[in-house]
Amino acid sequence: MSDSPIRIKTIAQFHTLRGLPKPKHPLISVINFEDMAPAPESGKQSLMFDFYMISVKRDMNHKYRYGQQDYDFDEGVMFCMAPHQILSVIREENGKNPSGWMMMIHPDFLWNTPMAGAIRKYEFFDYSVNEALFLSEDEEMKIQQITDNIKQEYQSNIDKFSQNIIISQLETLLNYAERFYQRQFITRHKAHHQFLERLEILFKDYFEGNNLKEKGLPGVQFLSDKFNMSQYYMRSLLKTLTGQTTQQYIHEKLIEKAKEKLSTTELSVSEIAYELGFEHSQSFSKLFKAKTDISPLEFRKSLN
């Protein structure tokens, strides 16, 4: 099978592809997985949608692949995708039918409404498949209720109020999803504590060698690759655990190392800047002062 993704441009095209009736509304649709015709063949299939997709899935008969890892979702999980992302699905033969639902929202449905721009603030649309939201029973019921309201509204007689009512319901659904993700960040305390420990070790090892001098400061993408975690999920997770974005966390670690060198060595500020990967000491001094409110020399003097 070709590795190039199948591009799904319209909701009607997806309905046809999966043996569903013509959608009641061309720009928004909620469908049950049980109603979809099975995929024509097993194996890997890559899909790219031109619309937003929100789904709650249970008992899936296939795995999702992200990076080099496979993920099985047997419990109820919520997953969101923004337009033009690629989802790879590995389908197994003779698997049981999945349950759950999928909501598709074309960007044109949001046009000329506040949600057209506001939807971009929900970072979970850019999370990876392995960063799905695991819903409690109560949370799933709440999401289901809102989704049913949306489906009922677009299936009834469309009038001038319909779009605003659906947009309002959609915003409520996304706000609940954001709340539930925050709950997940907090309740997965052990796993996230281990993540912070691994992050500390990574910086310790990175700073002990010549990496800073040779490669410069580790960036957000570097950390994302190391932990097989999307940049958006890592940012949200660190914001919850430490109150800092990923970039702020990186800078904090750099300042800690700078303070260590300023207090335990007799190296000049220029030499320390060079060891920390800065081409110009002025750039180092500017960052140090921005983060501590004093210059490197003032910090060193304050120790005496």
Side-chain angles (χ1 to χ4, degrees), residues 2 13 32 34 43 48 51 80 84 117 129 142-143 168 171 181 206 211 218 220 232 241 259 267 271:
S2 173
Q13 181 186 350
N32 293 322
E34 297 96 324
M48 182 174 73
F51 39 81
C80 303
H84 308 133
V129 173
K142 179 71 72 174
I143 295 294
S168 176
E171 183 177 19
Y181 255 114
Y206 193 94
N211 288 310
V220 175
Y232 291 96
L241 297 176
K259 287 180 176 179
L267 295 172
E271 288 171 327

Side-chain angles (χ1 to χ4, degrees), residues 22-265:
K22 182 180 177 181
K24 295 282 187 180
H25 193 295
L27 300 179
I28 186 166
S29 181
V30 178
I31 57 174
N32 293 322
F33 287 108
E34 297 96 324
D35 297 332
M36 295 195 303
E41 54 187 312
S42 60
K44 181 179 177 181
Q45 184 181 53
S46 296
L47 303 170
M48 182 174 73
F49 303 95
D50 280 9
F51 39 81
Y52 291 95
M53 189 265 285
I54 303 168
S55 62
V56 171
K57 305 174 181 179
R58 291 174 239 96
D59 305 317
M60 303 303 287
N61 65 339
H62 49 266
K63 299 176 181 178
Y64 291 99
R65 175 171 287 270
Y66 173 70
Q68 299 302 313
Q69 292 181 263
D70 292 335
Y71 296 89
D72 277 310
F73 292 143
D74 294 324
E75 304 299 327
V77 292
M78 184 173 178
F79 177 58
C80 303
M81 282 183 65
H84 308 133
Q85 293 179 329
I86 296 174
L87 179 66
S88 294
V89 182
I90 303 170
R91 303 185 186 279
E92 299 175 350
E93 292 183 13
N94 303 319
K96 57 185 176 181
N97 288 330
S99 61
W101 53 266
M102 173 196 288
M103 182 189 302
M104 295 167 283
I105 309 120
H106 197 281
D108 287 354
F109 184 77
L110 309 177
W111 184 78
N112 207 27
T113 74
M115 183 55 71
I119 197 168
R120 299 184 191 124
K121 78 176 184 180
Y122 298 101
E123 294 187 340
F124 47 77
F125 276 106
D126 293 298
Y127 291 173
S128 302
V129 173
N130 59 313
E131 296 156 353
L133 174 59
F134 288 76
L135 296 166
S136 71
E137 190 174 341
D138 288 343
E139 289 170 349
E140 187 173 342
M141 285 177 61
K142 179 71 72 174
I143 295 294
Q144 184 70 60
Q145 183 181 21
I146 299 168
T147 303
D148 289 344
N149 290 341
I150 290 173
K151 187 173 184 178
Q152 183 180 358
E153 183 61 35
Y154 77 73
Q155 287 186 336
S156 62
N157 295 324
I158 300 296
D159 58 31
K160 66 179 183 179
F161 300 102
S162 298
Q163 185 185 31
N164 287 339
I165 290 171
I166 293 172
I167 292 291
S168 176
Q169 294 277 355
L170 177 62
E171 183 177 19
T172 301
L173 187 152
L174 297 178
N175 285 337
Y176 271 115
E178 195 160 46
R179 169 190 276 182
F180 298 157
Y181 255 114
Q182 290 301 310
R183 184 270 309 153
Q184 180 162 294
F185 291 147
I186 295 167
T187 54
R188 290 188 163 189
H189 178 74
K190 181 179 178 181
H192 294 153
H193 183 70
Q194 291 171 341
F195 162 70
L196 286 178
E197 286 181 343
R198 290 170 59 206
L199 199 56
E200 289 281 348
I201 292 169
L202 183 147
F203 275 99
K204 183 175 181 291
D205 293 343
Y206 193 94
F207 286 173
E208 280 184 353
N210 292 321
N211 288 310
L212 280 171
K213 191 185 300 184
E214 296 172 0
K215 303 176 185 177
L217 193 63
V220 175
Q221 185 62 55
F222 173 82
L223 298 181
S224 174
D225 293 341
K226 280 289 183 182
F227 288 94
N228 195 29
M229 190 180 291
S230 71
Q231 294 184 30
Y232 291 96
Y233 190 86
M234 182 176 287
R235 174 189 169 92
S236 299
L237 179 56
L238 278 174
K239 193 76 174 174
T240 300
L241 297 176
T242 69
Q244 299 173 309
T245 65
T246 313
Q247 192 65 59
Q248 289 169 338
Y249 185 88
I250 293 170
H251 284 160
E252 181 192 47
K253 293 302 166 189
L254 179 72
I255 297 302
E256 286 178 6
K257 192 64 179 178
K259 287 180 176 179
E260 178 188 316
K261 289 183 176 291
L262 286 165
S263 58
T264 61
T265 74

